[in-house]
Amino acid sequence: NSDDTTFELENAIKPGTELSLTLQVKNLLDNDYDQSTFDDIQLAIEASNDDILPDHFENEYHLDELEGGQSDAFEINFTLNPDADARDYTLDLTLEAEDEEGAVHTVERELKLQLKRKTNDVRIVKADISPATITACDAGFSMQVELKNLGTRVQDETALIIYNERLGINTNIQ
């Protein structure tokens, strides 16, 4: 419904952030129009710089048909690439729908976002525990943890603390 074609996130986001886009699509053709149904609806998402998107990002989506006056919402979820450069990015959204006469209707929008890195931002990016469930009766377990520095400052002295009172674990790994 909006005449705006460019939208901007209010706050800067960090690399590795999980982003959820909910898109509302409405067929504005009147039901009285004989050919008001959109049969082939496609959404394409392109980034101004692909380094913000994950490697497995799906950039094309096919939507269900929409009759005149009907609307639909769908959600796209993805995690921003943790290695993306801190800068401004634009996601170009192009929606194309074909009506029953074969005429193609196109709507284009831009989503602008700013990626910023914190000075100190060390995260656990992977944690595997074997066995998956640990009890006080277990004689041992193994844990693999991967830490990643997503901040701008080199972290020379990072530590990982593993603590569980019931299992009697209190370990500080530096």
Side-chain angles (χ1 to χ4, degrees):
N1 285 347
S2 175
D3 291 331
D4 293 333
T5 59
T6 302
F7 302 90
E8 192 167 339
L9 293 183
E10 291 180 15
N11 299 316
I13 51 179
K14 298 185 294 185
T17 297
E18 204 171 302
L19 201 58
S20 177
L21 302 176
T22 302
L23 305 172
Q24 182 79 28
V25 179
K26 183 173 184 177
N27 181 344
L28 297 176
L29 293 179
D30 192 325
N31 247 351
D32 293 334
Y33 176 63
D34 290 337
Q35 311 299 324
S36 65
T37 299
F38 288 141
D39 296 322
D40 185 22
I41 305 172
Q42 297 180 36
L43 172 71
I45 301 175
E46 298 291 328
S48 57
N49 188 322
D50 285 339
D51 75 339
I52 194 171
L53 300 174
D55 292 336
H56 62 278
F57 181 73
E58 184 75 32
N59 65 342
E60 290 188 11
Y61 300 86
H62 297 277
L63 289 70
D64 296 332
E65 75 174 30
L66 283 177
E67 294 182 18
Q70 187 180 22
S71 63
D72 193 12
F74 65 99
E75 194 171 289
I76 301 170
N77 298 300
F78 59 96
T79 302
L80 299 177
N81 185 345
D83 296 322
D85 294 332
R87 54 176 279 196
D88 293 340
Y89 292 90
T90 301
L91 296 180
D92 294 315
L93 306 152
T94 304
L95 184 75
E96 286 189 354
E98 187 174 320
D99 67 20
E100 295 168 285
E101 287 289 318
V104 176
H105 304 264
T106 303
V107 176
E108 295 178 343
R109 298 290 187 259
E110 286 184 344
L111 175 63
K112 295 186 177 287
L113 47 99
Q114 183 181 38
L115 191 87
K116 283 190 175 179
R117 291 186 179 273
K118 288 184 169 182
T119 304
N120 299 305
D121 188 7
V122 177
R123 297 187 208 173
I124 297 172
V125 293
K126 183 177 179 184
D128 291 322
I129 300 172
S130 181
T133 303
I134 303 168
T135 66
C137 300
D138 290 335
F141 70 94
S142 67
M143 178 181 229
Q144 287 187 313
V145 177
E146 182 181 335
L147 300 174
K148 187 165 189 166
N149 181 10
L150 299 179
T152 59
R153 177 179 286 156
V154 174
Q155 301 294 324
D156 293 329
E157 299 185 29
T158 302
L160 174 67
I161 299 171
I162 303 171
Y163 176 79
N164 185 296
E165 184 176 347
R166 292 179 73 189
L167 297 176
I169 301 170
N170 189 3
T171 303
N172 186 352
I173 303 168
Q174 294 185 342

